[in-house]
Amino acid sequence: DKWQLCLEEGARPSDMTISGSDVLLLSNNKEAYSTTVEFPPNAGIDGATLLAVQRWKRHDTNGEWKLVLHQTIPWCPGSKAGGTLRCDCRGCTALTSSRERRTFGGLIG
C-alpha cells in the first residue's frame, strides 16, 4: 500500500491496545525512535503481540516530528501474529507466514 493511504484517517486500527512504550531521543534532537508492544484488536490481549518500532525525524529542533518508518515483528513465543509489517515513504509491505513451504531455486532452507 502507498504511504499516503496508510497514514489516512481510519487506515489504522483505532482500538489497538499498547503497552511498554519507550522513546529514545538522539543527541541532535532531530531524530528519535519509539517502541511499543501492540495487541491488535482482533486478536485479544492473549493473542497476537507485536513489537512496533517507529523512526521519527524533523528538520530542526523546533520543527514538527515526521514519521519515517514503522515496523512490526511478532514479539512473543507462540504469538498468533500472522507476519511482519514494514512501512516507509515508499509504502507498506506485509510479510505473512503460512503452512505452505516454498523454496527459492530448489534450495531447502
Side-chain angles (χ1 to χ4, degrees), residues 4 17 24 41-42 64 66-67 71 73-74 84 91 98 105 107:
Q4 307 313 30
T17 303
L24 170 67
N42 60 349
E64 290 188 14
K66 181 179 177 181
L67 180 64
Q71 183 172 4
I73 59 169
T84 183
S98 69
L107 300 175

Side-chain angles (χ1 to χ4, degrees), residues 2 8 17 22 26 28-31 33 40 43 52-53 55 58-59 63 70 78 85 87 91 97-98 101 103 108:
K2 294 201 182 265
E8 284 182 354
T17 303
D22 201 4
L26 298 185
N28 64 7
N29 276 339
K30 295 181 186 176
E31 189 172 3
Y33 291 86
V53 177
R55 181 176 175 209
R58 59 184 176 177
H59 293 292
H70 175 79
L85 176 71
C87 303
S97 61
S98 69
R101 187 169 183 177
T103 61
I108 296 176

Side-chain angles (χ1 to χ4, degrees), residues 41-97:
N42 60 349
I45 198 78
D46 295 325
T49 54
L50 302 164
L51 173 63
V53 177
Q54 296 90 15
R55 181 176 175 209
W56 304 85
K57 280 193 163 189
R58 59 184 176 177
H59 293 292
D60 59 62
T61 57
N62 295 319
E64 290 188 14
W65 289 101
K66 181 179 177 181
L67 180 64
V68 293
L69 172 74
H70 175 79
Q71 183 172 4
T72 63
I73 59 169
W75 181 239
C76 70
S79 173
K80 295 178 185 173
T84 183
L85 176 71
R86 181 179 173 95
C87 303
D88 62 22
C89 64
R90 299 168 292 182
C92 291
T93 301
L95 301 173
T96 59
S97 61

